Amino acid sequence: MPSSHTVRARARERNSVLSRPEFLSLNQPLRSGGGPPESRGGARRPGPIKHQTSQPSEEPVEPSKLPEEDCMLLNPSFKGIAKNSLLAIDICLSKRMGVCAYTYSSCGGCRSMVSLMSFTGHGITWIIGTLLCLTRSNTLAGQEVLVNLLLALIVDVLTVAGVQRLVKRRGPWEMMPSLLDCVAMDLYSFPAAHASRAAMVSKFLLSHLVLAVPLRILLVLWAVLVGMSRVLLGKHHLTDMVCGFALGLLHFSLMETVWLSSSTCQTIISIGTFSWSPFF
């Protein structure tokens, strides 16, 4: 004869909410087979929810690092602030001065004239012109000056192309380089190749040619206009032009240091024209 206490416990168990069929899975232990428990009627009931506990790994996981452009420096240095400010001013002024960048720009009607001025400082133009003058020259002094000028032009083109490849700075406006620019390897913005060449050529001619004062003034004005034309066309920044002028003067000083004598120039001309006879 069961006791009254046992009868009351069984009654509470039958009346309990957890004894209903939909809550049977909560009272049953987990099975090793992984299959869902079945009720007495044969219908499958939803199995217990298994919580996967992540075990600690042996090596600590490093947090993912954000790229530099997504990071914000909360305490930048004074040097960084000054550099970024100067670059922002340079880009802003260069964009405002690019009035002939496109035909629909504010001074787009003058684009052809400014492009012609820029063409007078192109490296291919000066190299071909120097070679033509060298074939026409009959004096030793003239050939000496022209050979050194040709070497200075080649050094200028190669040096500027190397620095541009190293820095890879784009111009203020997104423009594709022209065919002549690709031939002269003038693909990037810094430094301005036309400004470097104009400064070097003008200084070279002023030093080795006897010119009247008006011609000397026009030569300096031509160099400045060639450098400015590239900024007006939207090809270069202002700092590109200034650094181009400085690099051109550096090329002139270098050529003055390694100036080739007249005999060396005659040997180079003989080799270039295939008329060199070293044994006779």
Side-chain angles (χ1 to χ4, degrees):
M1 186 79 183
S3 62
S4 60
H5 179 72
T6 307
V7 173
R8 284 195 297 269
R10 290 179 180 177
R12 279 198 303 269
E13 185 178 354
R14 285 196 302 268
N15 295 330
S16 176
V17 178
L18 298 177
S19 63
R20 295 181 181 179
E22 57 268 23
F23 296 107
L24 285 177
S25 60
L26 299 178
N27 297 328
Q28 296 179 359
L30 296 177
R31 296 185 179 182
S32 60
E38 297 182 357
S39 63
R40 284 176 291 181
R44 294 184 177 180
R45 300 298 179 182
I49 301 175
K50 298 180 180 180
H51 299 280
Q52 298 179 354
T53 58
S54 59
Q55 298 179 357
S57 58
E58 297 179 358
E59 298 180 358
V61 180
E62 296 182 358
S64 59
K65 296 181 180 180
L66 295 175
E68 293 183 0
E69 58 268 16
D70 293 339
C71 299
M72 181 178 63
L73 297 177
L74 299 179
N75 189 18
S77 61
F78 177 77
K79 181 179 178 180
I81 294 175
K83 178 183 176 181
N84 294 332
S85 300
L86 291 177
L87 287 176
I89 294 173
D90 180 31
I91 294 174
C92 181
L93 291 179
S94 302
K95 281 183 173 291
R96 290 195 175 189
M97 292 184 65
V99 294
C100 301
Y102 301 99
T103 54
Y104 54 82
S105 301
S106 58
C107 296
C110 303
R111 179 177 172 81
S112 58
M113 184 175 62
V114 178
S115 299
L116 180 61
M117 176 61 67
S118 173
F119 181 74
T120 60
H122 204 282
I124 302 299
T125 306
W126 274 98
I127 290 176
I128 294 176
T130 305
L131 287 173
L132 291 176
C133 294
L134 188 59
T135 57
R136 301 283 182 175
S137 179
N138 297 323
T139 62
L140 296 178
Q143 292 176 355
E144 179 184 353
V145 172
L146 290 173
V147 168
N148 283 277
L149 177 59
L150 180 62
L151 293 178
L153 290 171
I154 294 174
V155 169
D156 180 81
V157 169
L158 295 178
T159 305
V160 172
V163 176
Q164 286 185 356
R165 291 277 185 176
L166 184 63
V167 178
K168 292 184 178 181
R169 186 187 189 188
R170 297 290 181 179
W173 303 96
E174 290 294 333
M175 294 182 179
M176 294 297 294
S178 62
L179 179 61
L180 287 177
D181 292 336
C182 294
V183 173
M185 298 177 291
D186 187 11
L187 303 177
Y188 295 98
S189 176
F190 182 88
H194 290 66
S196 174
R197 199 165 301 113
M200 188 269 296
V201 169
S202 62
K203 184 65 174 176
F204 192 96
L205 297 180
L206 289 174
S207 301
H208 298 283
L209 295 182
V210 180
L211 301 174
V213 175
L215 291 178
R216 298 173 74 89
I217 295 175
L218 288 177
L219 193 58
V220 174
L221 183 62
W222 166 80
V224 175
L225 290 178
V226 168
M228 288 298 300
S229 66
R230 301 296 289 177
V231 180
L232 296 177
L233 291 173
K235 299 285 187 178
H236 297 281
H237 300 86
L238 284 173
T239 51
D240 302 335
M241 180 188 65
V242 174
C243 293
F245 284 143
L247 188 60
L249 296 177
L250 181 62
H251 289 157
F252 168 76
S253 301
L254 177 63
M255 289 307 302
E256 289 293 313
T257 305
V258 296
W259 184 267
L260 301 181
S261 62
S262 179
S263 59
T264 306
C265 293
Q266 291 303 314
T267 304
I268 294 175
I269 293 174
S270 300
I271 295 174
T273 55
F274 300 101
S275 59
W276 183 45
S277 55
F279 301 107
F280 301 100

